[in-house]
Amino acid sequence: MGIAVSFKLLNINGTLATYGYSKDFNCFEGVFEIDLSKHIGLEIASENEQDITFELVTPCDGEWKDYGLAGRAIMKIYRYYKEHGIYPEKGGHYAG
């Protein structure tokens, strides 16, 4: 069985983005805030996702003890931001 996490941009205030995330692709009950402008120019590998600082406002249902579901969404957001220079509106991560 795979792991699926979806995320949706809720708000941007300056360089601070607020995202909803969840294991359900229609409900985003978990919320985190992230400012990726602090990470520009840094090389962060997927195994070092803990190097990206974020504020977990509300964990989603079924979130892991180490906030790994939020971490998977954050890495997808980071890769998109690094490539395009903007925060993605929505997306997801699936590991089968």
Side-chain angles (χ1 to χ4, degrees), residues 37-65:
S37 69
K38 298 176 183 178
H39 300 285
I40 295 297
L42 300 177
E43 279 300 318
I44 298 174
S46 60
E47 62 272 8
N48 294 325
E49 63 192 32
Q50 67 273 9
D51 292 343
I52 299 176
T53 57
F54 67 96
E55 179 72 30
L56 186 66
V57 178
T58 307
C60 75
D61 288 341
E63 177 61 274
W64 303 339
K65 187 168 73 171

Side-chain angles (χ1 to χ4, degrees), residues 1-42:
M1 186 163 125
I3 301 165
V5 180
S6 60
F7 57 87
K8 180 180 178 181
L9 181 62
L10 302 176
N11 185 42
I12 295 180
N13 185 6
T15 58
L16 181 69
T18 303
Y19 278 91
Y21 80 106
S22 163
K23 291 169 50 176
D24 180 346
F25 285 87
N26 295 314
C27 175
F28 302 96
E29 78 276 357
V31 177
F32 61 83
E33 295 176 336
I34 187 164
D35 184 352
L36 289 176
S37 69
K38 298 176 183 178
H39 300 285
I40 295 297
L42 300 177

